[in-house]
Amino acid sequence: MTVKELYARMTARIPESLRESWDNDGIMCAPDLSADVHRVLLSLDVTEEVVDYAIENDFDLIISHHPLIFRPLAAFSEDNPCGRKLLKLSSNGITVFSFHTRADKVDGGVNDLLADTLDLHNVEKFGEGDLGRIGELDEEITLDDFAMLAREALGAPAVLVADGFNPVHKVAVVGGDGKDFIADALAAGADTFLSGRLSYNTMAEAGELGINLIEAGHYYTECRITEFFLGLVSRFVPDAFIEVADSNLLRMIN
């Protein structure tokens, strides 16, 4: 299967119509759309380490969640981090697809996977564009207990908790930066909202808003999307070699 054909198949499953207007995703770099796909590297981010790994191991294609190109490039040179990666990729014939907000919204994507990781039931969509997910725990538990369960389930080194003075039963989730969805989570009846990144001021208002807030790390709330990509690529290109790269560059220092 060619690069162009695979992108068309993946876009049929992850439609461009789901993409937010401010977002930039899709084909980020394609030295040859007619090239065959044999080796595919999946990653949350297209870091320079991921690019170098792809080059060293003869990958044809990188598929990421976060866009390689998000803002217009001021320069296309080795002095610009994004430009440097594009030069490396182009000169080595490596294509990059990125599926961002449309992979957040799509059925089975980022936020369905996040709800599944937290073992939520009766899951429904909420928020602008139906991006978020809201569901229920089997039974009501304390905020501290849920925070510990979430940390372990997500594999996060730590979570940040702001107490809204509620027991936890109905939980809303948005992977990544979800601070703009707190009002929607409240309107949907959530007693608890978990996201990857929330602002200090937002967290400080948890008690006044009456909703528990949990910040669990941008990477840890979205990294399972590579499983979704893996399922698609293995179905569309069954003879391809596929590998998942760890692009998390952040670490905790205790």
Side-chain angles (χ1 to χ4, degrees), residues 16-70:
E16 292 179 346
S17 60
L18 296 177
R19 180 196 297 143
E20 289 289 322
S21 60
W22 49 263
D23 195 11
N24 183 58
D25 74 356
I27 298 177
M28 302 278 103
C29 172
D32 183 0
L33 287 171
S34 65
D36 289 328
V37 176
H38 298 290
R39 294 175 62 82
V40 182
L41 187 62
L42 310 176
S43 182
L44 190 70
D45 310 278
V46 187
T47 63
E48 192 153 15
E49 288 79 3
V50 168
V51 170
D52 290 342
Y53 185 83
I55 294 169
E56 291 163 7
N57 292 277
D58 298 319
F59 283 94
D60 316 301
L61 171 65
I62 298 171
I63 301 177
S64 72
H65 177 51
H66 293 137
L68 169 61
I69 306 170
F70 187 62

Side-chain angles (χ1 to χ4, degrees), residues 17 103 122 130 135 206 220:
S17 60
N122 304 318
D130 285 339
Y220 300 101

Side-chain angles (χ1 to χ4, degrees), residues 225-243:
I225 191 59
T226 54
E227 298 175 20
F228 178 73
F229 296 151
L230 176 62
L232 294 183
V233 176
S234 60
R235 186 163 82 246
F236 297 149
V237 196
D239 59 345
F241 174 81
I242 309 168
E243 186 175 338

Side-chain angles (χ1 to χ4, degrees), residues 75-244:
F76 188 67
S77 73
E78 291 188 354
D79 292 333
N80 176 281
C82 186
R84 185 167 60 249
K85 288 185 282 188
L86 286 165
L87 287 168
K88 287 184 177 184
L89 291 160
S90 297
S91 62
N92 286 276
I94 300 173
T95 295
V96 176
F97 300 162
S98 299
F99 299 95
H100 193 207
T101 48
R102 50 174 153 157
D104 289 324
K105 296 179 184 180
V106 74
D107 291 344
V110 167
N111 289 308
D112 280 323
L113 288 165
L114 181 53
D116 176 69
T117 302
L118 298 173
D119 201 23
L120 301 182
H121 307 293
N122 304 318
V123 175
E124 298 178 346
K125 299 174 183 179
F126 83 94
E128 183 179 352
D130 285 339
L131 187 146
R133 299 294 186 267
I134 185 168
E136 300 172 344
L137 299 176
D138 282 333
E139 58 184 13
E140 189 176 278
I141 62 175
T142 68
L143 176 57
D144 284 358
D145 285 345
F146 178 70
M148 288 297 295
L149 288 173
R151 183 185 66 79
E152 293 172 6
L154 294 168
V159 297
L160 185 63
V161 176
D163 201 334
F165 309 109
N166 300 309
V168 180
H169 179 62
K170 194 166 187 177
V171 180
V173 298
V174 170
D177 188 341
K179 61 181 178 294
D180 294 336
F181 287 82
I182 294 173
D184 292 325
L186 275 166
D191 52 61
T192 303
F193 179 65
L194 181 145
S195 188
R197 205 53 87 211
L198 298 166
S199 73
Y200 173 83
N201 290 336
T202 297
M203 295 285 279
E205 293 175 347
E208 298 165 17
L209 293 171
I211 186 170
N212 304 317
L213 298 175
I214 300 177
E215 183 180 284
H218 200 126
Y219 179 86
Y220 300 101
T221 56
E222 293 187 328
C223 61
R224 278 191 66 190
I225 191 59
T226 54
E227 298 175 20
F228 178 73
F229 296 151
L230 176 62
L232 294 183
V233 176
S234 60
R235 186 163 82 246
F236 297 149
V237 196
D239 59 345
F241 174 81
I242 309 168
E243 186 175 338
V244 177

